[in-house]
Amino acid sequence: MAQPEPYTSLTELRKQHKLLLEQRRSEDDAPEFIQAIIQFIRRGSATGVLLDTEEARWDAQNLLDFWSNEL
């Protein structure tokens, strides 16, 4: 499997998190929504190498943990 493309920044990761929260309101159990969560987690995990502070890495990890728990 190819390595997923990381988000360009923590800001982009947060933006995608917010979009998923909005999408969850209408598509909570839809297969496409589940795939969007999986993709978010994969891309978010790949983003870790771009984050240069411990605080940014913890912030990103909290978002990934949130969606992991949702699955």
Side-chain angles (χ1 to χ4, degrees):
M1 181 188 300
Q3 180 70 17
E5 179 181 343
Y7 293 107
T8 59
S9 64
L10 181 58
T11 300
E12 184 183 3
L13 183 72
R14 287 179 178 147
K15 180 180 173 183
Q16 292 303 313
H17 166 73
K18 184 178 177 186
L19 291 173
L20 281 176
L21 288 173
E22 293 169 2
Q23 188 178 359
R24 181 175 68 168
R25 293 184 190 132
S26 62
E27 302 177 32
D28 192 25
D29 291 331
E32 297 82 15
F33 179 62
I34 301 301
Q35 286 303 312
I37 293 172
I38 292 169
Q39 184 66 13
F40 175 82
I41 292 171
R42 288 180 179 155
R43 290 189 68 195
S45 295
T47 304
V49 299
L50 303 177
L51 304 177
D52 57 355
T53 69
E54 191 72 20
E55 182 179 355
R57 286 190 289 276
W58 276 109
D59 288 349
Q61 187 61 54
N62 285 331
L63 298 177
L64 297 175
D65 290 345
F66 176 88
W67 289 108
S68 179
N69 288 332
E70 284 291 305
L71 288 177

